[in-house]
């Protein structure tokens, strides 16, 4: 079918890949190679390089799904060559997206009539979803202010300091100021009271998180709704709420159906959820749903002629693959409500097993709460001899990828390790992780005391450029050892750990 | 591995025995609005969805789209193996990130970016050219704002100059990022942006001029060199320093291979960023694009986020965060597998097949070929007859054979023209082209023979009461009169309206022609 004449020397085909010259040549890094190579060789070479990537299933840092049933894989591969945006050509795929939107809207108790279509769209992840929701709020607020004759050039958004980096991106790219409610030790989510105090006339919305990235907690959206309603009555500003339910959106409806956080609260105008987290689909699909037509300004919506009828669309990306949308629909009908609930119950049970195992060691404080996303965040009771960063490093040797990071302002003193329990993390893996952590602790206990020192800005600037960068707030490492000046290498190590976590929301903690 | 309790024991045994089509599952209506309560077996779920999807068009016969619809099985294998890797976990998947960096470097070199050898290029992989264009536009907007702020001048009304033939994603960028879009209107016979008119439209608020290499509508390459020269003159006079962005979504992987002497890329000093779609002639499935900047200065630092990656700094600048890694791996595979000569041969084959199609169409004597020979391998043609509806009817007739050939009206100011467009992708071989030509011939015969639809005759029946009734009353109970009303019958024959599915690309640029 493809009339590509790519192999010049027919004898090459007889060659065994590892006997051929292809495995001797260096791989192209900067320029496209002049000649083609046989497809088997190309496949083998790329495959072999990728072996050095981490194992996705042992990646306990990520919420994103890493396992799906083979039937679903088959469906995904079959539709990988369909460009989703060709709605005219692939009407059924578009229909599947619409159905998913409706199902999610109903899951969130959107005030939609039984046969009405919900207002929402599939995106490539929660980042795009949040940008779309934010754009809608910004436009609505601008229109309101223009009508009132007031200035509309300084919009801001109120969130907690625990927001994921995509809110920062939204703020920077769409020129909205981000007003963050600082955290406190022991309280790692946004405080509704402080948030409502920060609301002013330029606030386009207040963003609450259901399933904080750092500790998995659910913010108290109901309280936020009540306090904000009161304030709105006083001021008349009508500030709405957006719920970032990227992780929690597929947990709360199944495990905590009585928790009021969704459209049941009147001020919640839009919700985003990641299909690729607890929606149980591979990376690349998110959803955003609006309460009603009024919450999505018409000027943002593009109308595409679709089967003779109008298909309104509102996305940042245009061409993209259809696989994940089809996979999402597959999961909805394959699992159904009971399937999702069973999976979430299993995750919570396994999280409990892990939590109890960690508590039994007596060396950890559990920072995550019981009501929340199935993850376990824990810190060392005693960080004087070694930190969680070293624990994380050692666990890598066993194959586990467990991230460690410090909490954002104002709780930077606390550093935690976080294990996300996904669908494919079963009981035996949980037990094995606990035993590996115990092994690591024993190792670290046996090490001599850590050489540490106070690091100040001047010393960091003296370090080679690879390490010293604009670090805003590097705090001192606890405990000094007198008279011992650490060598450069150690300084570099410590500095790079701190840099990783103290830079403004730069880490890919998602 | 998955510890989910998804089926109760009785269900397992019965569903294992009964075949999907014998089970009750194919009798229940599919859930559309609410998530179903119960779980169903995976084979059933697969079969149901698979069957519904059969009603989608066949991607390989979709001649509307530039986006790749066929890749080698080896590549499919690589893609499925990396489908569960979330690209943004750079720490966990360092090789995948390395592959992206290599692709960026390779493309930057292909586009003659002024880099010292073995230096890292400035660019990023995106989910398509829409995101790439938004990033490039954002960079220009920030740079311009910083410049104006430093000069103490107002910076609240940025605008961008493009041709009216731009793809819808420019309109999106303009609307979402609050930049005014100043479009250079097309003229009859000239379907791309005129560099002279574009440069005239540049003012102090222009953040950049966007030229298209490979116009969506006719596949032509705009004259970026002329634009560069004229803009450089204007910049010298005004001192505004307006840069150029080249939207090479389709042309970026065509021009370097078959028109290497054409100067359109970073060889022109005013070109500061270029975007190219990996999923068009980059020969990868949908979901990947690339944007390259000339140098560090063209990407304002405040837009870049820094992620700690293997102890070194990995700067990133994307709108999307989590996404699949498959397409990036596939792009690198294609670079490695095909190499320069492979890509050249593929594009040359496409051009040959396009020429074959052009010859076949010319032979019918009914068409004007609007696309130029020098450009993308696509064929845009319109009927010589000025009846606009013919193009739409031909498109509909070809659908019967399975071909999807879109028909659309041109944008301002040539809305009176309707064209059909066939994109020749890698997998449209000579045999298929010949088949297409013969089907077109057949469809033309059909169109000519179409008799008018059954004429419609409408009857209007008027019922008027006679005048006497209005003033007459019955005087006695046992006496009355009954007057029959007078009636008249009018009839006329209506001309039936032909139903057209119009796909407009004018005004709000809302259609998904890509």
């Amino acid at each position: 079918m493809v009339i590509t004449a790519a192999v010049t020397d027919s004898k090459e085909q007889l060659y065994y890949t590892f006997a051929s010259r292809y495995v001797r040549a260096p791989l192209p890094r900067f320029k496209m190679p002049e000649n083609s190579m046989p497809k088997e060789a190309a496949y083998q070479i790329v495959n072999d390089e990728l072996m050095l990537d981490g194992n996705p299933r042992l990646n306990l840092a990520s919420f994103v799904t890493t396992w799906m049933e083979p039937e679903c894989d088959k469906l995904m591969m079959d539709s990988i060559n369909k460009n989703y945006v060709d709605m005219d050509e692939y009407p059924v795929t578009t229909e599947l997206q619409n159905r998913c939107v409706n199902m999610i809207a109903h899951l969130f108790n959107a005030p939609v009539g039984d046969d009405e279509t919900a207002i929402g769209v599939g995106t490539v992840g929660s980042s795009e979803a949040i940008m779309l929701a934010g754009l809608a709020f910004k436009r609505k607020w601008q229109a309101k202010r223009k009508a009132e004759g007031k200035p509309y050039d300084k919009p801001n958004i109120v969130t907690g300091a625990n927001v994921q980096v995509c809110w920062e991106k939204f703020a920077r790219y769409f020129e909205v100021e981000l007003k963050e409610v600082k955290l406190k030790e022991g309280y790692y989510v946004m405080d509704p009271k402080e948030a409502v105090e920060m609301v002013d006339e330029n606030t386009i919305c207040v963003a609450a998180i259901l399933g904080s990235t750092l500790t998995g907690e659910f913010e108290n959206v109901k309280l936020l709704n009540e306090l904000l309603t009161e304030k709105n009555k006083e001021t008349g500003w009508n500030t709405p709420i957006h719920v970032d339910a990227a992780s929690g959106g597929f947990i709360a409806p199944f495990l905590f159906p009585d928790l009021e956080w969704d459209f049941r609260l009147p001020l919640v105008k839009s919700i985003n959820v990641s299909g690729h987290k607890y929606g149980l689909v591979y990376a690349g699909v998110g959803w955003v749903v609006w309460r009603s037509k009024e919450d999505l300004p018409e000027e943002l919506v593009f109308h595409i002629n679709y089967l003779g009828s109008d298909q309104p669309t509102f996305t940042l990306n245009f061409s993209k693959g259809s696989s994940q949308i089809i996979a999402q629909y597959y999961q909805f009908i394959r699992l159904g409500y009971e399937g999702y609930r069973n999976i979430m119950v299993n995750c919570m049970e396994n999280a409990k097993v892990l939590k109890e195992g960690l508590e039994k060691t007596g060396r950890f404080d559990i920072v995550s709460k019981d009501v929340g996303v199935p993850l376990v965040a824990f810190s060392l009771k005693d960080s004087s001899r070694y930190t969680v960063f070293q624990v994380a490093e050692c666990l890598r040797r066993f194959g586990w990828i467990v991230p460690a990071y410090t909490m954002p302002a104002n709780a930077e003193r606390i550093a935690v390790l976080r294990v996300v329990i996904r669908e494919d993390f079963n009981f035996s893996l949980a037990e094995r992780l606990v035993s590996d952590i115990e092994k690591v602790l024993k190792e670290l206990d046996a090490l001599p005391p850590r050489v540490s020192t106070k690091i100040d800005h001047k010393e960091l600037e003296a370090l080679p450029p690879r390490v010293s960068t604009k670090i805003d707030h590097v705090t001192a490492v606890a405990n000094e050892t007198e008279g011992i000046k650490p060598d450069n290498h150690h300084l570099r190590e410590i500095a790079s750990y701190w840099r990783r976590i103290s830079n403004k929301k730069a880490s890919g903690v998602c | 591995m998955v510890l989910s309790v998804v089926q109760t024991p009785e269900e397992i045994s019965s569903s294992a025995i009964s075949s999907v089509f014998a089970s009750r599952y194919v009798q229940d209506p599919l859930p559309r609005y609410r998530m179903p309560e119960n779980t169903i077996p995976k084979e059933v779920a697969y079969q149901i969805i698979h069957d519904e999807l059969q009603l989608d068009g066949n991607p390989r016969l979709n001649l509307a789209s530039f986006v790749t619809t066929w890749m080698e099985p080896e590549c499919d294998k690589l893609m499925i193996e990396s489908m569960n890797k979330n690209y943004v976990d750079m720490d966990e998947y360092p090789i995948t990130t390395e592959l992206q960096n290599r692709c960026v470097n390779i493309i930057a070199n292909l586009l003659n970016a002024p880099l010292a050898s073995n230096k890292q290029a400035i660019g990023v992989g995106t989910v398509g050219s829409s995101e790439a264009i938004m990033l490039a536009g954002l960079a220009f907007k920030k740079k311009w704002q910083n410049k104006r702020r430093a000069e103490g001048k107002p910076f609240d009304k940025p605008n961008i100059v493009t041709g009216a033939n731009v793809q819808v994603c420019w309109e999106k960028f303009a609307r979402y990022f609050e930049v005014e879009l100043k479009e250079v209107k097309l003229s009859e016979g000239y379907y791309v942006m005129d560099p002279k008119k574009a440069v005239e439209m540049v003012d102090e608020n222009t953040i950049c001029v966007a030229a298209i290499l490979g116009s969506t509508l006719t596949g032509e390459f705009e004259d970026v060199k002329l634009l560069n020269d004229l803009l450089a003159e204007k910049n010298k006079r005004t001192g505004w320093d307006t840069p150029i962005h080249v939207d090479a979504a389709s042309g970026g992987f065509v021009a370097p291979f078959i028109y290497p002497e054409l100067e359109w890329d970073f060889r022109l000093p005013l070109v500061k960023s270029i975007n190219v779609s990996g999923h068009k002639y980059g020969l990868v499935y949908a979901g990947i694009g690339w944007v390259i900047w000339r140098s560090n200065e063209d990407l304002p630092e405040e837009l870049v986020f820094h992620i700690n990656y293997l102890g070194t700094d990995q700067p990133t600048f994307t709108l999307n965060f989590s996404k699949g890694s498959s397409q990036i791996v596939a792009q690198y595979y294609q670079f490695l597998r095909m190499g320069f000569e492979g890509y050249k041969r593929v594009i040359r084959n496409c051009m040959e097949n396009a020429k074959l199609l052009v010859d076949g169409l010319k032979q019918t004597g009914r068409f004007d070929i609007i696309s130029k020979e020098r450009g993308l391998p696509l064929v845009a043609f319109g009927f010589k007859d000025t009846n606009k509806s013919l193009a739409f009817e031909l498109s509909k007739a070809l659908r019967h054979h399975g071909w999807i050939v879109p028909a659309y009206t041109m944008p301002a100011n040539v809305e009176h023209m309707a064209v059909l467009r066939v994109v020749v992708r890698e997998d449209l071989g000579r045999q298929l082209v010949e088949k297409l030509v013969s089907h077109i011939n057949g469809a033309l015969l059909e169109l000519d023979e179409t008799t008018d639809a059954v004429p419609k005759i409408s009857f209007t029946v008027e019922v008027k009461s006679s005048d006497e009734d209005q003033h007459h009353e019955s005087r006695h109970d046992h006496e009355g009169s009954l007057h029959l009303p007078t009636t008249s019958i009018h009839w006329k024959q209506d001309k039936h309206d032909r139903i057209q599915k119009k796909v407009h690309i004018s005004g709000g640029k809302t259609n998904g022609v890509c």
Side-chain angles (χ1 to χ4, degrees):
Chain A
M1 260 149 278
V2 172
I3 309 183
T4 311
V7 176
T8 44
D9 183 358
S10 55
K11 282 209 265 251
E12 296 279 20
Q13 288 167 319
L14 297 175
Y15 288 173
Y16 184 71
T17 305
F18 289 108
S20 75
R21 58 185 173 79
Y22 296 111
V23 295
R24 281 217 308 266
L27 274 187
R29 267 158 234 277
F30 292 97
K31 278 200 193 287
M32 199 184 279
E34 266 304 314
N35 301 319
S36 316
M37 68 157 74
K39 51 192 166 96
E40 297 82 6
Y43 167 79
Q44 198 61 49
I45 291 174
V46 178
N47 185 42
D48 293 350
E49 264 216 285
L50 288 173
M51 283 198 307
L52 291 168
D53 265 345
N55 178 352
R57 300 215 24 221
L58 294 181
N59 177 8
L60 303 180
S62 174
F63 288 98
V64 175
T65 300
T66 47
W67 182 90
M68 293 191 85
E69 286 173 325
E71 279 73 8
C72 194
D73 281 352
K74 199 150 172 268
L75 271 176
M76 289 181 86
M77 274 323 279
D78 288 341
S79 49
I80 205 165
N81 63 352
K82 289 189 190 168
N83 181 6
Y84 173 75
V85 79
D86 283 337
M87 296 179 176
D88 237 2
E89 282 80 43
Y90 310 122
V92 179
T93 308
T94 309
E95 173 69 18
L96 294 189
Q97 188 226 222
N98 292 344
R99 286 184 204 166
C100 287
V101 168
N102 284 324
M103 288 185 189
I104 294 176
H106 276 105
L107 194 65
F108 296 159
N109 302 294
V112 179
D114 264 334
D115 279 336
E116 256 183 76
T117 36
I119 315 282
V121 77
T123 63
V124 176
S126 274
S127 291
E128 187 187 350
I130 280 167
M131 290 184 188
L132 296 177
L135 247 183
F137 282 125
K138 186 180 178 201
R139 273 303 155 89
K140 232 185 151 207
W141 174 83
Q142 282 177 332
K144 184 179 77 153
R145 298 280 285 180
K146 231 183 265 183
E148 293 173 355
K150 298 195 183 140
Y152 52 90
D153 55 327
K154 289 198 182 327
N156 69 52
I157 197 168
V158 173
T159 68
N162 56 330
V163 278
Q164 208 249 19
V165 64
C166 59
W167 284 99
E168 173 105 354
K169 277 191 181 184
F170 166 70
R172 248 193 244 187
Y173 297 163
F174 290 86
E175 289 157 16
V176 173
E177 188 198 337
L178 198 64
K179 292 173 86 166
E180 288 184 346
V181 176
K182 301 271 179 260
L183 310 180
K184 300 190 269 284
E185 250 175 71
Y187 194 79
Y188 304 115
V189 289
M190 177 173 82
D191 186 344
K193 284 191 228 53
E194 287 182 32
V196 174
E197 273 170 41
M198 288 179 108
V199 168
D200 60 31
E201 55 171 350
N202 287 322
T203 305
I204 63 176
C205 84
V206 180
I209 303 183
L210 198 80
S212 165
T213 323
L214 304 170
T215 55
E217 281 179 69
F218 293 158
E219 290 183 0
N220 193 345
V221 193
K222 188 160 198 255
L223 178 58
L224 177 66
N225 181 72
E226 286 165 11
L227 296 173
L228 195 55
T229 323
E230 280 178 38
K231 181 153 184 172
N232 279 344
K233 237 188 280 189
E234 286 167 21
T235 58
W237 290 333
N238 234 327
T239 320
I241 296 176
H242 172 87
V243 182
D244 175 1
S247 329
F250 276 113
I251 306 263
F254 302 108
L255 292 180
F256 311 111
D258 299 322
L259 182 69
E260 280 185 38
W261 64 273
D262 51 16
F263 290 117
R264 284 170 280 182
L265 303 171
L267 281 183
V268 173
K269 302 297 183 195
S270 53
I271 301 177
N272 71 281
V273 67
S274 278
H276 54 223
K277 288 177 186 156
Y278 290 99
L280 306 175
V281 182
Y282 289 136
V285 66
W287 304 93
V288 56
V289 186
W290 283 272
R291 189 188 199 87
S292 67
K293 273 200 126 108
E294 289 82 48
D295 299 299
L296 184 52
E298 187 60 26
E299 67 227 44
L300 292 173
V301 180
F302 279 76
H303 291 265
I304 293 192
N305 184 298
Y306 159 54
L307 292 183
S309 58
D310 178 55
Q311 170 82 11
T313 76
F314 176 36
T315 55
L316 293 180
N317 297 298
F318 194 60
S319 297
K320 63 187 184 196
S322 318
S323 303
Q324 285 90 349
I325 300 207
I326 292 176
Q328 179 79 86
Y329 186 69
Y330 171 91
Q331 290 289 53
F332 282 161
I333 68 169
R334 153 56 164 155
L335 293 171
Y337 195 89
E338 79 172 320
Y340 270 94
R341 196 179 52 225
N342 288 335
I343 290 177
M344 301 313 158
V345 164
N346 285 344
C347 290
M348 291 304 247
E349 291 292 320
N350 289 330
K352 217 155 71 154
V353 165
L354 180 60
K355 198 166 75 110
E356 284 165 5
L358 291 172
E359 279 172 341
K360 255 215 307 241
T361 66
R363 311 283 291 272
F364 296 108
D365 282 324
I366 307 292
V367 172
S368 51
K369 307 279 189 295
D370 271 339
V371 176
V373 168
L375 63 80
V376 182
F378 51 102
S379 59
L380 278 169
K381 283 195 176 151
D382 174 17
S383 302
S384 54
R385 292 177 55 94
Y386 46 82
T387 61
V388 290
F389 299 98
Q390 285 166 286
V391 174
E393 182 94 346
C394 292
L395 276 174
R396 277 243 190 188
R397 282 207 333 265
F398 291 90
W400 301 107
I401 301 173
V402 178
Y405 48 85
T406 31
M407 304 292 267
N410 291 339
E412 298 103 328
R413 257 181 16 98
I414 313 287
V416 299
L417 290 144
R418 181 191 78 180
V419 172
V420 175
I421 311 291
R422 287 191 302 273
E423 158 188 44
D424 55 355
F425 186 79
N426 59 17
F427 184 86
S428 49
L429 284 178
E431 286 197 319
R432 183 169 287 277
L433 177 60
V434 172
S435 80
D436 285 347
I437 288 180
E438 286 171 350
K439 280 195 211 124
V440 163
L441 288 177
K442 249 200 285 260
E443 252 181 60
L444 288 174
D445 281 338
L447 280 183
R450 190 163 55 114
V451 173
S452 58
T453 181
K454 261 208 175 68
I455 303 176
D456 64 350
H457 286 264
K458 283 205 274 291
E459 282 195 57
L460 273 172
E461 265 144 40
L463 289 174
R466 189 175 76 98
V467 177
S468 68
T469 57
K470 309 151 200 146
I471 297 182
D472 291 323
H473 35 263
V474 175
T475 56
V477 169
N479 280 357
E480 319 172 5
T481 312
E482 279 192 354
I484 301 177
K485 204 149 168 68
D487 57 60
N488 240 6
H489 169 73
H490 218 100
L491 267 181
R492 241 181 266 154
E493 246 189 82
I494 298 171
S496 65
Y497 278 134
W498 284 107
R499 182 166 52 94
R500 178 214 289 239
I501 39 79
S502 63
N503 247 345
K504 279 214 200 76
K505 214 61 83 265
S507 105
V509 177
C510 73
Chain B
M1 243 24 65
V2 172
L3 211 62
S4 313
V5 176
V6 279
Q7 274 183 322
T8 51
E10 316 88 55
E11 277 187 39
I12 294 177
S13 53
S14 63
S15 65
I17 301 173
S18 58
S19 105
V20 170
F21 290 107
S23 73
R24 56 178 178 79
Y25 295 111
V26 295
Q27 264 182 14
D28 298 332
L30 268 188
R32 266 157 235 277
Y33 293 102
R34 282 179 200 278
M35 202 184 279
E37 264 304 313
N38 300 318
T39 313
I40 62 177
K42 50 193 166 95
E43 297 83 12
V44 176
Y46 169 80
Q47 197 63 50
I48 291 177
I49 297 183
H50 177 83
D51 292 350
E52 256 213 292
L53 286 174
Q54 286 183 328
L55 292 169
D56 264 347
N58 180 348
R60 297 210 33 216
L61 296 182
N62 176 10
L63 302 180
S65 175
F66 288 97
V67 175
T68 302
T69 48
W70 184 91
M71 292 192 85
E72 287 173 324
E74 279 73 8
C75 193
D76 282 353
K77 201 155 171 259
L78 275 176
M79 289 182 85
I80 196 132
E81 285 164 8
S82 41
M83 210 178 271
N84 63 352
K85 290 187 191 169
N86 181 6
Y87 173 74
V88 80
D89 284 336
M90 297 180 175
D91 238 0
E92 282 79 44
Y93 311 121
I95 307 295
T96 310
T97 309
E98 172 71 20
L99 293 189
Q100 188 226 222
N101 292 343
R102 287 186 204 163
C103 287
V104 166
N105 286 326
I106 289 176
I107 295 177
N109 271 298
L110 194 67
L111 302 178
N112 300 295
L115 288 171
S117 70
N118 294 4
K119 195 158 165 297
Q120 183 83 358
I122 316 285
V124 77
T126 64
V127 177
S129 274
S130 291
E131 186 187 353
I133 279 169
M134 290 185 188
L135 296 176
L138 249 182
F140 282 126
K141 185 180 179 202
K142 258 299 148 82
K143 222 175 162 220
W144 175 82
Q145 281 177 334
N146 290 343
K147 184 179 78 155
R148 299 280 285 180
R149 212 176 285 151
E151 293 173 356
K153 296 195 185 142
F155 51 90
D156 55 328
K157 288 198 183 326
N159 69 54
I160 197 169
V161 174
T162 68
N165 55 329
V166 279
Q167 209 247 20
V168 63
C169 59
W170 284 101
E171 172 100 358
K172 276 191 180 184
F173 167 70
R175 247 192 245 188
Y176 296 163
F177 291 87
E178 288 155 15
V179 174
E180 188 196 337
L181 198 65
K182 292 172 86 162
E183 289 183 346
V184 177
K185 302 271 179 264
L186 310 180
S187 45
E188 182 104 29
Y190 195 79
Y191 305 115
V192 291
M193 178 175 81
D194 185 344
K196 284 191 226 57
K197 292 198 200 152
V199 175
E200 275 170 41
M201 287 179 108
V202 169
D203 60 30
E204 55 171 349
N205 288 322
T206 305
I207 63 176
C208 83
V209 180
I212 304 183
L213 198 80
S215 163
T216 324
L217 303 172
T218 55
E220 280 179 70
F221 293 159
E222 288 182 0
D223 195 344
V224 193
K225 188 161 201 285
L226 179 58
L227 177 65
N228 180 74
D229 295 338
L230 293 174
L231 194 55
E233 278 178 40
K234 182 156 185 173
N235 280 344
K236 229 187 287 185
R237 289 197 319 251
T238 58
W240 290 334
D241 232 1
T242 320
I244 297 177
H245 172 87
V246 182
D247 176 1
S250 328
F253 275 113
V254 176
F257 300 108
I258 50 177
Y259 307 118
E261 73 292 344
L262 181 70
E263 282 186 37
W264 63 274
D265 50 15
F266 289 116
R267 283 170 281 181
L268 302 171
L270 282 182
V271 173
K272 302 297 184 193
S273 53
I274 301 179
N275 70 282
V276 70
S277 277
H279 55 223
K280 289 178 187 155
Y281 290 101
L283 305 176
V284 182
Y285 288 134
I288 180 152
W290 303 93
V291 56
I292 313 281
W293 283 272
R294 189 187 197 87
S295 66
N296 253 322
E297 290 84 51
D298 301 297
L299 184 51
E301 186 59 25
E302 60 237 54
L303 292 175
V304 180
F305 279 76
H306 290 266
I307 294 193
N308 182 297
Y309 160 55
L310 292 184
T312 53
D313 178 53
Q314 170 83 12
T316 77
F317 176 35
T318 55
L319 294 180
N320 296 298
F321 195 59
S322 296
K323 64 188 183 196
S325 317
S326 303
Q327 284 89 349
I328 298 202
V329 173
Q331 180 79 85
Y332 186 71
Y333 171 90
Q334 287 291 55
F335 285 158
L336 183 65
R337 152 53 164 163
M338 307 275 264
F340 196 91
E341 85 170 310
Y343 271 96
K344 195 160 78 171
R345 286 183 200 225
V346 167
I347 307 293
R348 257 212 292 221
N349 283 344
C350 292
M351 296 300 265
E352 291 287 321
N353 289 331
K355 195 151 169 311
L356 187 67
L357 180 59
V358 165
D359 291 340
L361 290 172
K362 280 199 180 136
Q363 254 176 12
T364 66
R366 301 282 295 271
F367 299 109
D368 280 325
I369 309 294
I370 298 175
S371 49
K372 307 278 190 298
E373 259 209 47
R374 197 178 169 80
L376 298 178
L378 68 78
V379 182
F381 55 101
F383 274 90
K384 287 194 172 143
D385 188 333
T386 50
N387 182 357
K388 251 168 61 166
S389 63
L390 280 175
F392 296 97
E393 295 196 7
L394 180 60
S395 168
K396 208 157 64 162
L398 283 173
R399 275 251 191 182
H400 294 153
H401 295 284
W403 300 106
I404 299 171
V405 177
Y408 47 86
T409 33
M410 299 286 272
N413 288 338
V414 277
E415 295 104 330
H416 59 275
M417 296 184 56
V419 300
L420 293 128
R421 181 190 77 178
V422 171
V423 176
V424 179
R425 289 192 301 273
E426 167 191 29
D427 54 354
L428 190 73
R430 188 192 174 96
Q431 303 84 347
L432 286 175
V433 171
E434 288 176 348
K435 253 292 175 344
L436 174 63
V437 171
S438 81
H439 283 160
I440 289 179
N441 278 308
L444 284 175
L445 285 175
E446 262 178 54
L447 283 183
D448 291 336
E449 287 168 13
T450 307
T451 48
D452 283 315
V454 176
K456 193 165 77 166
I457 301 181
S458 60
F459 291 83
T460 355
V461 177
E462 275 177 40
V463 173
K464 278 198 289 244
S465 52
S466 69
D467 294 332
E468 293 162 7
D469 251 357
Q470 286 154 1
H471 306 288
H472 189 83
E473 282 173 33
S474 89
R475 291 192 206 99
H476 308 284
D477 280 336
H478 58 276
E479 194 189 284
S481 41
L482 174 69
H483 294 269
L484 287 174
T486 58
T487 60
S488 55
I489 299 179
H490 308 271
W491 65 273
K492 86 178 161 99
Q493 180 172 351
D494 290 329
K495 269 197 102 62
H496 63 281
D497 288 322
R498 287 179 173 211
I499 304 166
Q500 289 178 19
K501 184 171 61 108
K502 285 215 235 316
V503 167
H504 287 291
I505 315 173
S506 51
K509 208 140 335 298
T510 52
N511 176 261
V513 178
C514 72

